Amino acid sequence: MTAQDEWSVSCRDLAGRKRALTVFTSNGRIVLVGPPGEAAVLEPLDVGRLRAALRDAVVVVGEESRE
């Protein structure tokens, strides 16, 4: 996995502590990892970042499937 195949999006848990969602690709699939045992609370800007990370991951998976 290269650095461009993993993205981190800031969020908070329900208690307000800083956490992160991680998006990465694995075997032609997109994996979303949330805070362990927590819910992710996103601000509107963070939702935009998550959307961008997911879009970028889809592009990477599409490129890998063409190889």
Side-chain angles (χ1 to χ4, degrees):
M1 181 179 340
T2 65
Q4 69 183 13
D5 294 347
E6 183 174 323
W7 302 265
S8 181
V9 179
S10 297
C11 66
R12 294 194 179 267
D13 64 15
L14 289 174
R17 296 173 294 224
K18 288 184 177 182
R19 298 288 189 247
L21 291 169
T22 304
V23 178
F24 67 92
T25 62
S26 176
N27 298 321
R29 295 185 177 173
I30 298 165
V31 182
L32 178 62
V33 180
E38 299 283 348
V41 180
L42 300 167
E43 296 292 328
L45 184 60
D46 296 326
V47 171
R49 290 183 177 127
L50 177 59
R51 180 179 174 218
L54 291 170
R55 181 192 61 234
D56 292 347
V58 168
V59 169
V60 168
V61 168
E63 290 172 353
E64 289 174 352
S65 68
R66 285 183 231 145
E67 294 176 354

